[in-house]
Amino acid sequence: MTKHFWQEEFETLGKKDLQKLQVERLNATITNASRSSFYSKLFGKKNIQPGAITDIAQIAELPFTTKQDLRNHFPYGFLTLPKKDIIRLHSSSGTTGNPTVIFHNRHDLNSWANLMARSLFCAGVRDTDVFQNICGYGLFTGGLGFQYGIETLGALSIPAGAGNSLRQIKLMRDYGTTAAHAIPSYLGRLYEVFEAEGLDPKKDTQLKTLVIGAEPHTDGQRKRIEEMFGVKAYNSFGLSEMNGPGVAFECTYQNGLHIWEDAYVVEIVNPDTLQAVPDGEYGELVMTTLDRQAMPLIRYRTRDITRILPGQCECGRTHRRIDRITGRTDDMFIIKGCNVFPMQIEGVLMKIPEVGSDYMITLETMNGVDEMVVEVEVRNDWFQGDIRRLDKLSKTITHQIRDEVLAKPIVKLVEAGSIPKSEGKAIRVTDNRKNGLN
Ligand code: ADP
Ligand code: ZN
């Protein structure tokens, strides 16, 4: 019999049974969390009793946890177990203060590997696939997170690591890679290297599935990736505070990301009032772990903006879907009095065929006025053409961005490959303004 789900017993649970499981697991999580110094103090102050939850809606009565709380209680303030029981940590870079660190015991790592395997299966990956994991291994969760998921699923894993495009292409061709994971901003660059080598990934590889995530991207960018590589590209969402990848994933219907509700409680709140918003409305994603022992987190404010997509998915999974992340609450910048999210600009650019795969936004003070400079890579065949053509394209882009964000940008067209690439996730905005927000 063909298997349709990785774990049907969880993936197709009816609403009532799913909520019953969540209540049980939330009570256990509260009991467990109160062993950490952070939550024992917080629960004491707020008089929160373990076992008091009878309806999952009561989660709204619990306090939030923020990134600042994680930083303030760095490194061990959230730990519920003695160090001898902990077997791995992952941590963020911490360039702006204490890093955030998450600890796992064996149960947690098994549970994560299982969620990752479930996610990959949901995106159509099978044990017959050859899966190349093109991302950094180490403290970043994308490497080991995917690695254990691929192994749990039973596909042949190629732990390729990040960068070195020529080697990535060689691995793909040597071993007949059929599926791969990479951050979307890297794939445009990888394609340029294919082209420079006189290769076409559609003909010269056996790729059929790409898993893309770890950074915001628009549907336009996904479509471009699908066309360049001749594949289906599935959106993968996660954050290290909730393990890493394997939190929410698109299924083969590609209509939103199933968020695994047996492992997480999902809430969407208005970031100002912190009240829940109705399904379908955008707000900040708030998540609670339900199956993590070493370091449970309750009502963690992710700062990611998304919404719950109402209705059932045709695939049969009952876990609700979130829409693609439009950005983080702290991504937004204000220019000429207009609130702008970088993804609004990407959305405009990716619809223009002459535009290449990369862009960069720089905020500058010029003659005392704050300006938004948008550098846009243009396909090389276009760049070498008639100057008037470029002028016209630049005007079109300027108008379309202005129509979208209401502030007029200064658009600079540059050659493909000329925008500097960061090692990991793309940095879309640099703020060089004299007085910061304006
Ligand atoms: P950092 O906070 O240092 O970037 P993480 O690796 O934990 O470390 O990154 C998680 C964040 O990456 C998420 O909170 C979200 O903002 C972003 N992210 C992850 N996956 C996606 C995705 N599929 N779409 C958009 N943003 C994503
Ligand atoms: Zn589905």
Side-chain angles (χ1 to χ4, degrees):
M1 201 184 79
T2 331
K3 195 172 168 181
H4 294 294
F5 304 96
W6 177 251
Q7 280 186 312
E8 184 156 10
E9 69 277 24
F10 288 115
E11 291 175 60
T12 62
L13 272 178
K15 189 170 175 183
K16 247 172 119 184
D17 290 333
L18 192 54
Q19 290 189 341
K20 190 165 157 254
L21 179 72
Q22 287 188 318
V23 167
E24 269 165 34
R25 289 186 167 186
L26 181 58
N27 278 317
T29 298
I30 293 173
T31 306
N32 189 24
S34 47
R35 295 188 186 110
S36 71
S37 78
F38 175 79
Y39 284 116
S40 75
K41 279 192 211 115
L42 185 66
F43 291 170
K45 240 194 292 173
K46 308 253 171 191
N47 196 21
I48 290 161
Q49 302 299 333
I53 305 282
T54 52
D55 181 335
I56 199 62
Q58 287 170 277
I59 195 164
E61 293 158 21
L62 299 176
F64 290 99
T65 306
T66 63
K67 201 169 186 98
Q68 199 53 46
D69 293 328
L70 294 178
R71 291 206 169 117
N72 292 347
H73 298 83
F74 174 84
Y76 294 124
F78 280 79
L79 208 53
T80 64
L81 293 169
K83 259 182 258 160
K84 77 168 184 37
D85 294 332
I86 307 304
I87 59 173
R88 199 198 298 163
L89 68 80
H90 281 282
S91 114
S92 68
S93 52
T95 40
T96 56
N98 274 342
T100 48
V101 58
I102 302 293
F103 297 97
H104 302 276
N105 71 358
R106 198 169 303 280
H107 167 92
D108 300 338
L109 291 182
N110 287 341
S111 158
W112 179 16
N114 185 50
L115 287 174
M116 256 321 296
R118 187 197 284 181
S119 300
L120 290 169
F121 191 98
C122 163
V125 181
R126 294 292 180 271
D127 57 6
T128 45
D129 276 299
V130 178
F131 196 108
Q132 188 163 331
N133 191 21
I134 309 177
C135 83
Y137 280 65
L139 291 174
F140 176 59
T141 54
L144 292 176
F146 267 83
Q147 184 62 33
Y148 285 104
I150 304 161
E151 292 178 12
T152 302
L153 179 70
L156 170 54
S157 62
I158 307 180
N164 198 341
S165 302
L166 285 175
R167 198 188 55 160
Q168 299 290 355
I169 294 173
K170 181 160 167 39
L171 288 170
M172 278 181 188
R173 286 160 53 82
D174 282 351
Y175 301 111
T177 299
T178 54
H181 162 238
I183 57 175
S185 58
Y186 174 68
L187 288 166
R189 189 176 181 190
L190 181 65
Y191 182 76
E192 282 164 13
V193 179
F194 265 102
E195 276 191 318
E197 291 297 295
L199 294 169
D200 176 356
K202 292 190 277 301
K203 296 200 201 90
D204 300 312
T205 75
Q206 295 176 47
L207 273 177
K208 60 177 174 25
T209 306
L210 281 176
V211 174
I212 56 175
E215 61 181 10
H217 57 284
T218 53
D219 197 45
Q221 189 172 8
R222 178 244 290 275
K223 289 208 173 87
R224 281 175 168 235
I225 290 171
E226 291 190 324
E227 277 161 26
M228 285 188 286
F229 289 89
V231 296
K232 286 272 177 209
Y234 299 100
N235 194 348
S236 146
F237 168 77
L239 61 160
S240 23
E241 294 87 339
M242 293 291 128
N243 294 341
V247 173
F249 236 79
E250 270 182 331
C251 69
T252 50
Y253 286 86
Q254 291 183 309
N255 52 6
L257 296 85
H258 289 282
I259 188 156
W260 303 123
E261 295 188 85
D262 56 327
Y264 304 99
V265 182
V266 185
E267 299 169 82
I268 309 278
V269 303
N270 175 316
D272 299 321
T273 65
L274 300 180
Q275 297 300 309
V277 302
D279 282 4
E281 256 178 48
Y282 284 99
E284 178 179 348
L285 176 67
V286 171
M287 297 192 72
T288 301
T289 62
L290 288 178
D291 194 26
R292 208 162 65 189
Q293 294 178 351
M295 193 168 157
L297 291 182
I298 291 166
R299 302 196 84 202
Y300 182 70
R301 291 187 59 185
T302 66
R303 303 191 286 190
D304 289 319
I305 300 169
T306 183
R307 58 179 177 158
I308 295 283
L309 293 172
Q312 287 289 325
C313 183
E314 285 176 78
C315 73
R317 289 176 181 82
T318 49
H319 299 225
R320 287 177 299 168
R321 291 159 301 149
I322 54 169
D323 206 346
R324 70 175 53 251
I325 307 289
T326 56
R328 294 203 210 190
T329 48
D330 45 5
D331 264 356
M332 192 193 78
F333 59 86
I334 302 175
I335 187 89
K336 297 177 193 282
C338 304
N339 297 357
V340 181
F341 281 98
M343 282 306 109
Q344 290 178 280
I345 297 193
E346 179 176 307
V348 169
L349 295 177
M350 291 299 136
K351 284 194 198 113
I352 302 174
E354 297 86 357
V355 167
S357 59
D358 213 354
Y359 63 93
M360 189 156 85
I361 303 163
T362 312
L363 307 176
E364 303 268 9
T365 310
M366 296 174 172
N367 303 323
V369 180
D370 287 347
E371 298 286 356
M372 167 169 64
V373 181
V374 185
E375 282 173 87
V376 182
E377 286 188 3
V378 177
R379 295 194 171 172
N380 274 340
D381 49 335
W382 250 79
F383 206 83
Q384 276 130 26
D386 180 354
I387 188 90
R388 276 169 307 181
R389 230 172 39 149
L390 284 174
D391 215 34
K392 204 165 150 228
L393 177 60
S394 166
K395 285 207 178 90
T396 309
I397 297 174
T398 306
H399 289 151
Q400 292 195 10
I401 292 178
R402 196 196 47 205
D403 287 351
E404 172 66 33
V405 304
L406 307 178
K408 188 173 174 191
I410 297 177
V411 170
K412 290 187 181 160
L413 303 182
V414 297
E415 277 183 77
S418 62
I419 291 180
K421 309 283 187 281
S422 50
E423 251 298 296
K425 304 184 186 198
I427 297 162
R428 298 301 188 192
V429 185
T430 312
D431 194 344
N432 295 332
R433 286 177 292 185
K434 294 233 160 49
N435 50 355
L437 288 184
N438 198 351

